[in-house]
Amino acid sequence: MLVSESGKTAWIRVWGAILLTFFGLSAFFPDSFWAVHYWLFLPVPLKIVLGLLASWLVLAFPWPFAGDSTPAFTTRLPQLLSDWKMALLFAFLWAIPFYIFPIFQDYYGDAPFFLQSREQAVQSLTEGPIHKLWSFDFTDSKLGSGTSMGLFGLFSWLLDIPIYQSIRLWDYLFGGLFIFLWLRLCQALLSRSDWWWPAAILGLFAPFLQNFFGHVEVYAGIITLGLAFMLVLVLYFRSGKVGYYVGLFPLLILCMKFHITGYMLSAGLFLASLHLLAGRFHFLKGFLHWKRVFPFILLPVYLAGGVIYFLFLQRFHSVRSYQADTLTQVTFLPLQSSEPAPLDRYNLFSPAHLWDFFQLPFGWSAAGIFLLGAVLLLFRRQIRWNDPLLVVAGTLLLIYLPLFFVLNPLLSMPHDWDLFSIPGVWLLVFLLILLGQLREIPFPRLLLGPVLGLSLFSLVTFYVNARQEPLCKRLQSKSLREFKTYWLGSSSCVLNGVHLNPDPASGQADLEQIIAELRPHAVMGNDIEFARILYTAGRWYFSETKDYERSLSYFQEAYRASMHLCENNYHLLINYFYLKRYPEAATLADWVVACKYPTEARANKVAIHTLIMAGEWQHALQVCDSYLQIDPANEFIREIRRRLAAQEDLNTLYLMFKTN
């Protein structure tokens, strides 16, 4: 070892304390430490118990069994699970919480979009994206989401169940299969080894398992299939059997079909092919060595990726804003956004993005980070770094990490944690292969406490997301960071968190507190996200308490934040109207007509009524003329126009609106 026996414990304690401190700092900066702050939203008694227990396990955990003998229970379970049938049974029993503890209200990722039809069952095989199940058009960037949604739709049709229930069932199936594959990977690399226990714990408690807890998204498939690919890859390198090598091809196709990032696994198949051919072609022997893989595989990949990245930015002018039909134009984060504030806050090398990316591994497995660091501190000289299997796994990791670094988190990284958990699978598999090289070395049992202690925080993640009040507070907290950094779409997260509050009055108080904190960070005149938040606060007073003076203040501030929020322009006009401030209301008439909100007919009618009340007869006549070109058969507007043109009883014209 690199350190003496007396120093080993100190190294372990210090490293564990560093990681535990990272969680502790979230108590002081909860918004910034979004990946580890879940424990803050627990009830106070649970928070205290967790803090004490995790601290004891990480900093002072003593192994309760003296001597060199291994307790019987530590060998019995690995032996039992070495039988694939028992492992399969255990896996699907372990996965039961995935189904019975779903995310309380799933606002993460694209879940709100998918949940629009949550209670509907698919009635026909031609309905929705089911047809994409049979598609292998790998040029279609939406093939992955279409395949997953098609699978969900097929299950919904077969079982005649709502699409949401189908998604939950598939999450359970994918989750159970993931646990099974992880146990088989532990068996392949660490059978009859003390290291089996920490390795198994990593997979059983990984935070990214949240993808299987009823999460309404499409990433469960690629996470499970990606692990299946890695298991078969390990079995091939361990046994040399061509059958395992052949099995990589259909698994690669499935991974590519379920998600576009599955294409990256082709590098693993390519390296496995070189390993196979090395038995026949002498010049390929020894190619799977870092001195050859880096210059001949990784460097070309990085150079090609860099060219694609810069050509992409040049073509689409380094923009960050997007519409539904321009998503592909913002696939990558720009070096510097070409758009003004607040879109200039979040770029490839901005501190906000670097900090978000740094936190990602804590969302994959804090226990895994601890174990990786401990292994490197204590055993790096025992590791065969040029072992072909380790080189292949490391190469895949070094391809995935840069790819996800430049990838644009379209909904912000805290909100898109599901997509950005994909590289976590390859990190844990890489770690497992490292541990496989240490299988003959006795496991330092002092490592077990920190692994267990840090894994407790994964359970907290699942708990918070499954319960209404903690999830409400957690969404509000992370939304503050999203607004201050990524900005795009942050108002949705703010409002989702507020609406989860079971007490509407308390939710309004939360919203006003959020507004006070965000106000210094708003870019007035160009901040439609802040305008939406202000508008929602104003609607409460407008609709619930009828406090029109207070609602007016929010609508006015929202208008100053952005003049392009149609619903705010409409309600600001109505608010002025209710307060009989007709001249001020009339200044918004053209905006309301242009927005066609809430409908074109309603917008024009309100504008005409307002202009008449303000005495702007000529302006009202112009709006009538414009609207009659669209709806010439509207007799009510035609009569209004006639009287305006004839200047007939203009002072009583407003009375017509009381009966229509």
Side-chain angles (χ1 to χ4, degrees):
M1 293 186 182
L2 294 179
V3 294
S4 65
E5 288 295 323
S6 60
K8 181 171 63 175
T9 299
W11 276 111
I12 292 171
R13 301 297 191 210
V14 169
W15 176 229
I18 291 172
L19 297 183
L20 195 62
T21 300
F22 196 80
F23 284 88
L25 287 172
S26 66
F28 303 97
F29 311 101
D31 311 335
S32 297
F33 285 75
W34 55 267
V36 297
H37 68 178
Y38 288 90
W39 69 277
L40 296 174
F41 310 111
L42 293 173
V44 173
L46 283 180
K47 197 183 304 183
I48 294 173
V49 170
L50 173 73
L52 293 175
L53 182 57
S55 299
W56 176 71
L57 286 169
V58 172
L59 302 176
F61 177 70
W63 183 258
F65 301 96
D68 297 327
S69 61
T70 302
F73 79 88
T74 64
T75 58
R76 199 167 294 152
L77 184 61
Q79 289 173 359
L80 182 67
L81 297 183
S82 64
D83 180 351
W84 71 268
K85 295 184 288 297
M86 294 304 299
L88 188 65
L89 176 62
F90 176 90
F92 280 93
L93 288 175
W94 187 269
I96 289 175
F98 298 165
Y99 185 79
I100 63 177
F101 295 114
I103 298 173
F104 179 83
Q105 182 65 44
D106 200 348
Y107 289 120
Y108 295 120
D110 287 326
F113 169 75
F114 294 135
L115 285 173
Q116 290 176 359
S117 57
R118 62 178 290 163
E119 299 304 327
Q120 297 178 11
V122 173
Q123 302 298 324
S124 168
L125 285 176
T126 60
E127 186 178 333
I130 291 181
H131 67 280
K132 287 206 172 183
L133 269 177
W134 333 119
S135 172
F136 288 88
D137 179 10
F138 293 114
T139 63
D140 180 4
S141 62
K142 294 296 183 181
L143 177 63
S145 58
T147 298
S148 293
M149 293 307 297
L151 198 62
F152 304 151
L154 179 63
F155 228 51
S156 172
W157 176 76
L158 287 173
L159 301 179
D160 192 25
I161 58 176
I163 190 72
Y164 175 61
Q165 293 301 325
S166 176
I167 293 173
R168 287 182 60 187
L169 283 172
W170 273 110
D171 279 354
Y172 169 72
L173 293 174
F174 277 130
L177 184 56
F178 179 92
I179 298 300
F180 171 71
L181 293 170
W182 184 260
L183 293 174
R184 299 310 294 168
L185 196 57
C186 292
Q187 171 67 19
L189 292 168
L190 294 164
S191 62
R192 299 185 180 86
S193 171
D194 288 348
W195 291 90
W196 184 94
W197 274 98
I201 290 170
L202 294 182
L204 294 175
F205 293 95
F208 61 71
L209 294 180
Q210 185 70 74
N211 281 283
F212 305 123
F213 279 83
H215 182 35
V216 186
E217 258 289 7
V218 298
Y219 305 115
I222 182 59
I223 288 172
T224 299
L225 290 170
L227 183 61
F229 180 92
M230 295 305 297
L231 172 60
V232 175
L233 188 73
V234 167
L235 293 174
Y236 164 65
F237 274 91
R238 281 287 179 261
S239 67
K241 293 181 179 179
V242 177
Y244 288 125
Y245 169 77
V246 173
L248 292 173
F249 285 87
L251 282 171
L252 176 61
I253 292 172
L254 283 174
C255 289
M256 292 166 60
K257 182 168 170 53
F258 269 82
H259 199 263
I260 193 170
T261 58
Y263 288 53
M264 302 300 105
L265 291 174
S266 58
L269 179 58
F270 177 72
L271 293 175
S273 301
L274 294 180
H275 183 265
L276 179 67
L277 293 173
R280 297 186 179 183
F281 301 98
H282 182 74
F283 71 93
L284 289 176
K285 287 185 177 180
F287 184 87
L288 295 186
H289 188 289
W290 285 114
K291 289 183 178 180
R292 296 173 183 83
V293 168
F294 183 80
F296 295 113
I297 302 294
L298 283 175
L299 190 58
V301 167
Y302 291 160
L303 290 175
V307 170
I308 293 171
Y309 174 77
F310 285 107
L311 288 176
F312 190 93
L313 294 186
Q314 184 179 30
R315 178 179 178 184
F316 296 116
H317 311 294
S318 297
V319 297
R320 281 193 55 224
S321 60
Y322 60 89
Q323 302 295 328
D325 57 345
T326 61
L327 281 174
T328 56
Q329 298 180 14
V330 292
T331 301
F332 302 120
L333 274 175
L335 289 171
Q336 181 64 47
S337 174
S338 60
E339 297 165 291
L343 286 167
D344 62 344
R345 295 173 180 167
Y346 205 91
N347 300 299
L348 190 64
F349 292 107
S350 63
H353 179 242
L354 295 175
W355 178 244
D356 282 348
F357 197 78
F358 173 77
Q359 288 191 72
L360 277 181
F362 287 88
W364 302 340
S365 176
I369 298 172
F370 168 79
L371 205 51
L372 179 61
V375 166
L376 294 179
L377 282 170
L378 304 178
F379 301 107
R380 64 178 180 269
R381 288 183 178 173
Q382 281 81 1
I383 295 172
R384 302 184 304 279
W385 291 103
N386 287 302
D387 173 73
L389 178 58
L390 188 64
V391 170
V392 173
T395 300
L396 288 174
L397 184 61
L398 291 175
I399 289 175
Y400 268 87
L401 289 178
L403 170 65
F404 277 82
F405 180 72
V406 300
L407 201 62
N408 186 2
L410 295 177
L411 300 170
S412 83
M413 204 172 287
H415 204 68
D416 250 350
W417 59 265
D418 43 14
L419 169 63
F420 283 83
S421 65
I422 292 175
V425 178
W426 281 267
L427 176 65
L428 290 191
V429 171
F430 176 78
L431 174 57
L432 204 56
I433 293 171
L434 279 182
L435 300 183
Q437 293 196 13
L438 305 176
R439 57 181 299 165
E440 302 301 331
I441 298 176
F443 172 60
R445 294 172 181 173
L446 283 171
L447 295 180
L448 187 61
V451 169
L452 288 171
L454 294 171
S455 294
L456 288 177
F457 290 101
S458 300
L459 298 179
V460 174
T461 301
F462 310 145
Y463 175 90
V464 167
N465 282 323
R467 297 181 65 84
Q468 182 175 5
E469 186 175 350
L471 179 59
C472 167
K473 297 302 182 184
R474 198 262 160 173
L475 290 177
Q476 291 181 25
S477 176
K478 81 178 186 64
S479 69
L480 297 176
R481 172 159 181 86
E482 290 168 358
F483 182 89
K484 297 172 186 177
T485 57
Y486 193 80
W487 185 74
L488 278 171
S490 56
S491 61
S492 295
C493 188
V494 170
L495 300 178
N496 289 337
V498 169
H499 293 155
L500 263 185
N501 194 315
D503 178 8
S506 176
Q508 177 69 8
D510 289 344
L511 184 57
E512 293 185 17
Q513 184 176 350
I514 289 171
I515 288 172
E517 179 162 347
L518 296 184
R519 188 173 279 116
H521 303 274
V523 180
M524 301 305 286
N526 191 36
D527 203 323
I528 198 167
E529 300 291 344
F530 192 54
R532 287 194 185 101
I533 297 170
L534 290 164
Y535 163 73
T536 304
R539 277 297 303 272
W540 163 264
Y541 291 109
F542 183 86
S543 302
E544 299 298 326
T545 66
K546 311 300 182 186
D547 185 345
Y548 297 126
E549 290 292 348
R550 199 160 183 183
S551 62
L552 180 64
S553 66
Y554 280 109
F555 292 151
Q556 287 174 325
E557 188 176 5
Y559 186 75
R560 293 194 297 273
S562 176
M563 299 167 59
H564 303 288
L565 186 62
C566 290
E567 52 266 47
N568 184 72
N569 294 343
Y570 174 80
H571 279 94
L572 178 57
L573 182 151
I574 297 294
N575 206 141
Y576 276 132
F577 194 99
Y578 283 2
L579 294 174
K580 299 183 179 181
R581 295 167 61 170
Y582 303 123
E584 291 163 290
T587 62
L588 295 160
D590 288 337
W591 274 111
V592 170
V593 170
C595 282
K596 303 177 183 179
Y597 179 89
T599 64
E600 187 172 19
R602 175 66 177 167
N604 279 271
K605 186 176 178 181
V606 166
I608 294 167
H609 190 185
T610 301
L611 291 168
I612 288 173
M613 296 301 293
E616 297 188 19
W617 321 115
Q618 192 62 34
H619 193 174
L621 180 62
Q622 293 172 1
V623 176
C624 287
D625 286 336
S626 298
Y627 185 64
L628 286 172
Q629 292 179 10
I630 301 168
D631 185 13
N634 193 310
E635 293 298 331
F636 176 75
I637 299 298
R638 185 176 294 279
E639 176 62 15
I640 294 290
R641 188 213 176 278
R642 185 193 68 77
R643 290 180 60 176
L644 284 169
Q647 297 188 354
E648 176 185 319
D649 296 327
L650 295 181
N651 291 327
T652 61
L653 190 56
Y654 72 93
L655 295 175
M656 290 187 64
F657 289 90
K658 293 186 176 182
T659 59
N660 190 295

